[in-house]
Amino acid sequence: MLIPAALLLVAAACGGPAEQETAADWATEVETRLVDESVDQTVVDCVLNVARVELGRNPLSEAATDELVTNCERARAVLDGDTDAVEPSTELAMTDQPFTFGDDPTLDALWAACEEGSGRSCDQLFAAAPLDSEYEEFGVTCGRRPELLHCGELDAESDE
């Protein structure tokens, strides 16, 4: 079940000092663990950013963190043009997960907002999309905008 991003952001903003300290401790522990596991620093930064900014949640479970590592590694490979490094998953073929526009109203709303130029929506779509789905591909490519490395650049353009 997807929780609306606004609700997550409000909940994160309402956290008291103890929750913020826990979040900082979590981020430090995760960064240390991933660096010790030889995870590339750009992937570590991606994991922490998605958890903290895009999902508005931390700490995350170790399983959720590991899933973010996988997603961030795949995103880095796609952005670097190394699509051979990304093995197709057979997981979607055996599940009823949404795959493309029209399959899920929440993901469709993020897709539409991303297409209209919301970088934040592109990042949220990528984070929420099932692996190897067209939703994931659309989000990670900032709405099929190959000239962008970071979807946040879309939001910066609209602020000008």
Side-chain angles (χ1 to χ4, degrees), residues 34 47 59 68 70 86 110 119:
L34 296 179
V47 168
L68 278 177
T70 300
V86 181
L110 290 171

Side-chain angles (χ1 to χ4, degrees), residues 2 36 85 111:
L2 294 174
D36 288 348
W111 179 302

Side-chain angles (χ1 to χ4, degrees), residues 47-100:
V47 168
L48 296 175
N49 184 53
V50 169
R52 191 176 12 220
V53 177
E54 303 306 329
L55 297 179
R57 292 183 50 205
N58 52 50
L60 296 176
S61 69
E62 188 169 332
T65 301
D66 290 343
E67 185 175 340
L68 278 177
V69 168
T70 300
N71 287 338
C72 288
E73 287 174 337
R74 293 180 71 241
R76 183 79 262 152
V78 169
L79 291 173
D80 289 344
D82 187 11
T83 55
D84 292 337
V86 181
E87 290 185 28
S89 171
T90 57
E91 182 180 328
L92 281 178
M94 299 179 193
T95 67
D96 292 332
Q97 293 184 348
F99 182 76
T100 191

Side-chain angles (χ1 to χ4, degrees), residues 6 27 45-46 57 70 78 91 106 112 124 126 130 138 144:
D45 294 342
C46 171
R57 292 183 50 205
T70 300
V78 169
E91 182 180 328
T106 303
Q124 289 173 335
F126 169 70
F138 195 81
R144 297 192 179 115

